[in-house]
Amino acid sequence: MANLRIRDLVKTYDKTQVLHSINLDIDDGEFVVLVGPSGCGKSTTLRLVAGLEEVSNGTIEIAGRVVNNLEPKDRDIAMVFQNYAIYPHMTVRKNIGFGLRSSKASKAEKDKRLESVAELLGMTEYLDRKPSQLSGGQRQRVAIGRAMVRDPAVFLFDEPLSNLDAQLRTQMRLEIKKLHQRVGSTIVFVTHDQVEAMTMADRIVIMKDGDIHQIGTPAEVYHKPANIFVAQFIGAPSMNMIPGRVTGDGTIELATGGGLAFERSLPEGREIILGIRPEDLHPGQASGVIEGSVNVREPLGHETLIYVGTSNGDVIAKADGRTPPEIGETVQLGADPENLHIFDAATGEALA
Amino acid sequence: MATAEDLQVKPKADVLLQTGPSRPPRNMGQIIRFLLLFAGGILMVMPIAFMISTSLKWPHEVYNLNFIPDEPTIENYIYVLEDGRFYWWFLNSLIIAVITTICSVIFDSLVGYTLCKFRFPGRYIVFIAILSTLMIPTEMLVIPWYLMSQQFGWLDTYWGIMFPGLMTAFGTFLMKQFFETVPDDFIEAARIDGLNELQIWWTVAMPLVRPALAALAIFVFLGNWTAFIWPLIVTNSVEMYTLPVGLSSFGDEADVAWELIMTGAAISTIPTLIVFLIFQRFIIRGVVMAGLKG
Ligand SMILES: Nc1ncnc2c1ncn2[C@@H]1O[C@H](COP(=O)(O)OP(=O)(O)OP(=O)(O)O)[C@@H](O)[C@H]1O
Ligand SMILES: [Mg+2]
């Protein structure tokens, strides 16, 4: 177990820079999830930490030791791949034991270690099977087992659940989380699924186009997004964004019409974007800030999503599951001032 | 060796032809396909049938092109098997074919793996250079090979017979293509688990391309077992002859002893059958995919 420090990490392929000076500190035993859209450099970051790619600039430290020039095997890490990468020609026992090949422990010790990992993962009865005789979830467990036997300082997971069906994914998500609580090792987990990120992480790192946009606990990135990208990336359906402008008396005039008193003082004339999550926006309040007619209803059971047409396009809000407004009905949407997010229109950064 | 498969096609075609009248042909294309395969099968089997037929004839009957010998005899087999030279040649061929097969399977897959999985400057040029040797026929190469062997004193030695075949361009190409099917994840996972590159090649990559290795082994073995021109040129002494060279020397200049040549040839197909039976077991598809996805 160990901490991981990434300093000014740059990765360049040929002439294209795919990571621009990444900085990240991960504490011992922390579960950190890297999340972001496809191509944002999550895998690249992970592969640089693993030593599968060469660092173009910057340093990577594991347990206080710069590992830039160490071979993957000398970095005290283990990696679980999206495609599992378990060997089809070897039994489960061989596959899990593969991680111990280079260990100097005695045969008996290795066997003991292997047995205990298999037990932890509930794979004891499958030890003599070949991967082709296992289900997807079991294969993934073998891949995790192979990483675990080595008892590495840092675990690296690259979208390990994306090949599983939805139900199994939820189950494995929980299992990995439990596993982390039991073994307490440092984990860096890559996914592009924000639900996975929110449910598993101690801290989430949100990346886009080779930059980190925000690092924070799930609550922080949800309630205090640093910019428009983060605000829209986290949460589903994503946050409504309504352009507006600060008027003389400190209120905000929205593009959808209507004004809004805002506690924090902002310079007059400033162009802003108001962000409101659908779950914070409800119909029926007289003091509504947005008015429009219901275009579409999406019943989810306990609540109903309504798409309300405004002069700035549709705004999504959450209505009651039992008595949602009718289609065509004009509704007033209102939100608690605490749940409003204000972003600078030019930079997209959150304003205090 | 395709004959074994073609023979299996024949009964199928027969069945179809027999049931033809009672059942209206559902598909003309299918019938044509069977007929073509049937014809192909016959074409393949004919020379072998003639070889066996000739080996059972007396010398005076050899030029009668009848299939069934008038007076079948196993005299030829007795003659060939009692001739001590035959065993020498058989052994020479076996040693050469086995060593060449092992070497080229190892070297071709090493080079193929390197060209496939490593990025290094000049990789493409090396690959093209290897491929381009495929375009030069053996007949053109034997002269430089001969001059080289002469210089190094390799004439009339096993090494002299074997060296041109220890690595093949075709095999390198074949293995490179097959290693493309081995996902990089497997290799990277092994690298993280602490294997060195040679170990990764041997314990991870090689088992995953076993079908290709088996196919390559069959090809190389057959190629060397039946090789004629180069062994003929590089050997001088009768004891160094390989089987095809030795067999062709049966008889004298005026009168080629076809019945003996065919007898030797018939016997010499036995090892090729064995090799085929051993290796085709490994040609099982879908080995690679089982380690991936759900
Ligand atoms: N070997 C390579 N050569 C050139 N460019 C590469 C290479 N590998 C990755 N890239 C580029 O680097 C960028 C980041 O890729 P990366 O694989 O890290 O994305 P990712 O965040 O993992 O995306 P995904 O969610 O699709 O897996 C992409 O634009 C990709 O095209
Ligand atoms: Mg990726």
Side-chain angles (χ1 to χ4, degrees):
Chain A
M1 274 173 273
N3 61 338
L4 171 67
R5 279 158 63 93
I6 296 175
R7 283 280 163 275
D8 305 319
L9 187 64
V10 173
K11 177 63 186 174
T12 313
Y13 286 113
D14 298 327
K15 287 190 180 60
T16 34
Q17 205 179 60
V18 297
L19 286 183
H20 323 290
S21 199
I22 298 272
N23 283 288
L24 184 60
D25 274 303
I26 295 171
D27 290 335
D28 187 10
E30 207 177 4
F31 195 131
V32 167
V33 174
L34 304 187
V35 68
S38 194
C40 69
K42 309 177 295 281
S43 299
T44 306
T45 309
L46 212 62
R47 293 168 58 81
L48 286 166
V49 173
L52 294 171
E53 304 276 351
E54 245 173 84
V55 171
S56 305
N57 213 339
T59 56
I60 297 171
E61 266 179 44
I62 294 172
R65 185 172 59 136
V66 175
V67 297
N68 281 32
N69 296 319
L70 293 184
E71 291 290 317
K73 64 173 161 49
D74 301 324
R75 294 188 178 201
D76 203 7
I77 48 112
M79 185 155 168
V80 177
F81 293 81
Q82 176 173 358
N83 290 329
Y84 319 155
I86 53 176
Y87 305 123
H89 57 288
M90 297 180 192
T91 58
V92 170
R93 184 187 302 277
K94 278 247 173 77
N95 263 296
I96 295 180
F98 209 76
L100 288 173
R101 276 182 66 118
S102 52
S103 142
K104 288 182 186 66
S106 70
K107 175 90 174 62
E109 268 174 73
K110 286 183 183 178
D111 282 346
K112 214 175 106 202
R113 180 115 194 90
L114 198 151
E115 303 283 336
S116 75
V117 165
E119 199 178 320
L120 201 64
L121 292 167
M123 292 296 290
T124 310
E125 55 186 305
Y126 302 108
L127 278 176
D128 294 311
R129 291 213 194 162
K130 288 272 181 71
S132 56
Q133 300 161 315
L134 298 177
S135 72
Q138 290 166 338
R139 286 180 202 179
Q140 189 54 273
R141 259 171 267 221
V142 176
I144 294 172
R146 190 170 71 192
M148 281 178 61
V149 280
R150 301 179 50 207
D151 197 14
V154 179
F155 276 102
L156 307 172
F157 287 81
D158 193 353
E159 307 204 23
L161 308 182
S162 54
N163 282 334
L164 303 178
D165 61 44
Q167 202 181 349
L168 201 53
R169 198 181 317 174
T170 318
Q171 186 192 334
M172 287 300 291
R173 202 161 76 194
L174 198 67
E175 280 186 31
I176 293 179
K177 183 128 176 121
K178 275 193 201 148
L179 209 66
H180 174 244
Q181 280 160 2
R182 212 166 334 165
V183 256
S185 29
T186 311
I187 294 183
V188 186
F189 189 104
V190 164
T191 178
H192 58 251
D193 179 348
Q194 49 114 356
V195 179
E196 252 171 46
M198 294 292 281
T199 51
M200 299 175 86
D202 291 331
R203 278 195 304 157
I204 297 181
V205 177
I206 296 158
M207 295 181 70
K208 187 194 171 200
D209 295 340
D211 281 310
I212 291 181
H213 279 233
Q214 187 170 3
I215 304 175
T217 62
E220 276 165 5
V221 297
Y222 183 83
H223 295 294
K224 292 200 182 71
N227 55 39
I228 291 182
F229 169 73
V230 174
Q232 292 209 295
F233 191 80
I234 299 291
S238 74
M239 191 186 275
N240 296 301
M241 293 292 169
I242 304 157
R245 193 154 169 268
V246 182
T247 59
D249 54 353
T251 57
I252 293 169
E253 199 181 276
L254 294 177
T256 53
L260 176 74
F262 198 67
E263 295 151 24
R264 287 164 264 179
S265 62
L266 292 165
E268 185 187 337
R270 183 133 186 198
E271 298 287 337
I272 59 102
I273 289 182
L274 175 72
I276 314 171
R277 293 197 183 279
E279 49 269 44
D280 295 332
L281 197 58
H282 306 286
Q285 280 155 344
S287 62
V289 288
I290 298 163
E291 191 188 273
S293 63
V294 179
N295 286 335
V296 180
R297 291 198 307 190
E298 282 182 351
L300 300 174
H302 62 296
E303 57 199 4
T304 299
L305 290 180
I306 53 173
Y307 291 68
V308 178
T310 70
S311 57
N312 190 53
D314 278 2
V315 168
I316 309 175
K318 264 186 191 161
D320 188 57
R322 285 181 216 279
T323 53
E326 297 299 320
I327 290 196
E329 192 180 327
T330 301
V331 289
Q332 295 278 334
L333 300 174
D336 191 332
E338 273 190 9
N339 295 329
L340 301 179
H341 305 271
I342 308 278
F343 305 98
D344 187 293
T347 62
E349 296 300 314
L351 297 172
Chain B
M1 277 336 299
T3 49
E5 280 168 356
D6 289 308
L7 278 169
Q8 286 169 0
V9 172
K10 235 173 40 167
K12 260 190 180 169
D14 284 341
V15 167
L16 188 102
L17 290 176
Q18 279 162 16
T19 55
S22 55
R23 252 193 301 158
R26 251 174 305 161
N27 189 341
M28 263 322 265
Q30 213 169 22
I31 292 181
I32 291 172
R33 210 150 47 220
F34 276 129
L35 285 177
L36 279 176
L37 283 174
F38 184 69
I42 295 275
L43 272 177
M44 292 283 196
V45 175
M46 282 293 279
I48 293 174
F50 256 113
M51 172 181 82
I52 291 168
S53 151
T54 309
S55 72
L56 298 173
K57 289 175 182 175
W58 292 101
H60 62 82
E61 209 191 324
V62 164
Y63 291 99
N64 292 349
L65 292 182
N66 52 342
F67 238 143
I68 313 294
D70 293 337
E71 306 165 59
T73 171
I74 57 161
E75 248 343 276
N76 297 323
Y77 284 86
I78 294 169
Y79 181 87
V80 167
L81 291 176
E82 277 182 349
D83 186 337
R85 295 175 303 170
F86 181 81
Y87 294 100
W88 264 120
W89 301 336
F90 195 94
L91 194 66
N92 287 346
S93 274
L94 198 65
I95 290 171
I96 286 159
V98 166
I99 293 180
T100 318
T101 305
I102 293 171
C103 284
S104 64
V105 163
I106 288 177
F107 291 139
D108 290 354
S109 52
L110 256 181
V111 176
Y113 179 76
T114 309
L115 288 174
C116 173
K117 294 296 182 192
F118 290 91
R119 305 279 169 268
F120 54 90
R123 157 172 170 269
Y124 191 65
I125 295 171
V126 171
F127 181 56
I128 294 294
I130 291 174
L131 265 195
S132 61
T133 64
L134 274 178
M135 291 171 227
I136 308 169
T138 314
E139 288 77 2
M140 265 177 75
L141 288 169
V142 291
I143 295 166
W145 286 346
Y146 186 84
L147 294 175
M148 191 172 148
S149 304
Q150 200 178 31
Q151 297 287 322
F152 287 126
W154 295 345
L155 293 180
D156 217 19
T157 63
Y158 279 157
W159 175 251
I161 303 172
M162 287 188 301
F163 84 88
L166 293 181
M167 204 197 112
T168 67
F170 170 72
T172 307
F173 175 71
L174 182 82
M175 294 317 300
K176 176 184 179 296
Q177 293 313 107
F178 263 84
F179 281 122
E180 302 280 0
T181 66
V182 177
D184 288 344
D185 282 1
F186 282 178
I187 291 162
E188 288 173 347
R191 220 168 266 162
I192 289 176
D193 283 340
L195 271 72
N196 65 38
E197 299 303 323
L198 210 59
Q199 287 171 320
I200 295 174
W201 167 73
W202 183 250
T203 53
V204 176
M206 286 293 263
L208 295 175
V209 295
R210 222 180 271 165
L213 292 175
L216 181 61
I218 291 174
F219 275 125
V220 174
F221 185 89
L222 293 187
N224 282 283
W225 184 256
T226 56
F228 181 67
I229 296 184
W230 175 243
L232 175 71
I233 291 171
V234 78
T235 53
N236 295 325
S237 47
V238 174
E239 309 86 71
M240 285 310 295
Y241 283 177
T242 59
L243 201 49
V245 176
L247 292 180
S248 73
S249 71
F250 273 131
D252 49 47
E253 251 128 75
D255 188 16
V256 182
W258 286 112
E259 72 287 358
L260 295 181
I261 292 178
M262 289 304 147
T263 306
I267 300 172
S268 78
T269 55
I270 295 169
T272 63
L273 276 176
I274 293 173
V275 165
F276 185 77
L277 289 177
I278 291 175
F279 284 106
Q280 66 131 19
R281 264 193 321 131
F282 294 115
I283 306 184
I284 314 158
R285 260 171 297 162
V287 193
V288 174
M289 288 318 291
L292 292 174
K293 311 213 167 161

